[in-house]
Amino acid sequence: MSYAEDTEKTTRTPAAPRTTTAARTTARTAAAGLALTLAAGITVSPALATARPGPESRTVAPPTTAGALDRYYHQTLHWGTCMRSPQDGTGRDLDKAGVQCADVTVPLDYTAPGGRTVTVALSRLKATDTRRRIGAILLNNGGPGGPAVDSPPIVRTAMKEVGPRYDIVGFDPRFVGRSTPLDCGWPVSFTWFSAGASRAGFDRQVALSKSLAAKCRATNASVLPHITTRNTARDMDVIRGALGERKISYLGYSYGTYLGTVYTQMFPGRYDRMVLDGAVGPDDYNPRLLKDTVRENEQALSAWAAWAAWAAARHTTYGLGRSRTAVLATIDHVMAKAARAPLTLGTAPDVFRVDDTHIPTLLFMGVADDVDDSRDFLARQVAALSQASKGREAPLSPEFAETLRLLLSGADSASGSSQMAIICGDVPAPREAERYWRDIQRSRGAHPLFGPLTENIGPCAFWDAPREAPTRISHDAPVLLVAATGDPRTTYRSTKALQGRLPGSRLLTLENANRHALYGEYGNACVDTEVNRYLATGRLPEKDENCVK
């Protein structure tokens, strides 16, 4: 059965919550692609360099903590320039925005705090309304493996009048971005591919995943066990102490909501105001975290008001078909052609060969956002794929060429390595290849396009078992949850499940939006106002609140 025929049958009923991915700002959209979202898998990370001590430093009062860790909590942070080289555009922009940067030292292994240390890169935009200063707010953009050193100016803008009352602190988690790096030297920057249409495609994915895990083990075996969410949460508490804060506020998107939840469980009483946007449910975070998103993603692509209908209404621009069904038939044709032989896209020197294991990933990335610019970007990609499937020359925009370069080469191996290290280090994955194959085959009937992607095997099937058990949610946390009903990455169902485990939380829902990550990113005044009210007052709404797209 073709995908067009299948969706014709399955999307006439009222659509289940539709979706979108963690595409943050335009810059972060290009960088993040799929964030837990599958996004951090193609995050462009600045090269690591040694931070130079800056003009300001201070020593903070000792926190209450185990004596062996006191030297980390007591350390002096040297705040100064964010530029690490003359070519460091990110650092230059941060300097111009008034941001200062520093490195915090943390133990690689918290059970052996006297041993090897690593650094975590920080940035800080200080409060200017010092008379009414609330405290520091820590940022995480998701991924896992997403950097946030570049984020304080963006978040300051989103916070509007309350922004000057906070020290806004970005950090790149351990082994991410400007922190002590991890790079397994992979031939790909990204590991989330489809099994394609055949057993041969799946077998190639098994071989790739096995080789990627082996390469990380061969190059970084000594650090892999310590690249975990629980250790990042411990690093956050060291950051809190080194900043001299009794409690710290937090804004986390996507995977960052899981990290924030873990922090509340490990360090109760040490957080103040916490916003979790696009939340990961307590039982959803694992190496197969996309399994339960397939329905939302196919709805975002094919439902009556979703991308395919949008593209059909613009047939004269993209040439993909004059009806929703015709657009989906174009995708069917592209997939069938790519299954027989890879499609060639681009012109020298940027020539790429794309097959049926890659195209679902591109589509999955593309339906992450329902704004016109994002839909246009996906339509132009599909148009290029359609031309290639007909044997015609398919020139690429610079943005599409960069996406393919990140998808198909090791240009950003470091981001893919760190993302997988975190996921695989947190929760074990099934190890039997045949289990994945059976799940893929079962999914094809209802979800022929995205099922072989979301059910596919990955490097975690060949990773060493985690050292620690996953965090259990054993006590309440009064946090503000933010979610869109059509979130395609961390579904609305996932957010509701987390709320069920945190009864003291409140949920701010944006209805009728296909979007992952809302606050300060989507431009919904109602969402931004409600979040900023909470950040200003520290008071959660009396009941759950709804906003409308």
Side-chain angles (χ1 to χ4, degrees), residues 346-362:
T347 55
D350 291 323
V351 177
F352 304 94
R353 291 174 64 78
V354 177
D355 64 28
D356 62 333
T357 67
H358 306 128
I359 293 168
T361 301
L362 292 169

Side-chain angles (χ1 to χ4, degrees), residues 264-321:
T264 68
Q265 303 302 296
M266 293 180 67
F267 299 99
R270 299 189 190 178
Y271 60 91
D272 184 10
R273 300 158 203 200
M274 183 164 287
V275 179
L276 306 181
D277 189 332
V280 182
D283 302 317
D284 294 340
Y285 178 75
N286 61 71
R288 306 187 78 185
L289 52 85
L290 298 178
K291 276 174 62 71
D292 294 328
T293 70
V294 61
R295 182 180 64 184
E296 283 80 3
N297 280 280
E298 291 197 344
Q299 292 287 352
L301 181 74
S302 63
W304 289 104
W307 176 83
W310 182 94
R314 294 156 180 81
H315 174 73
T316 55
T317 301
Y318 307 113
L320 300 178

Side-chain angles (χ1 to χ4, degrees), residues 3 50 154 176 197 220 293 342 404 450 465 472 508 535:
Y3 178 64
T50 302
I154 300 168
V176 171
N220 291 278
T293 70
L404 291 174
F450 289 138
R472 294 181 58 191
L508 176 60
L535 291 174

Side-chain angles (χ1 to χ4, degrees), residues 369-371 510 512-515 517-524 549:
D369 198 344
D370 59 5
V371 299
L510 179 61
N512 305 319
N514 294 349
R515 171 72 190 211
L518 298 172
Y519 169 67
E521 306 284 358
Y522 196 55
N524 185 273
K549 178 182 172 182

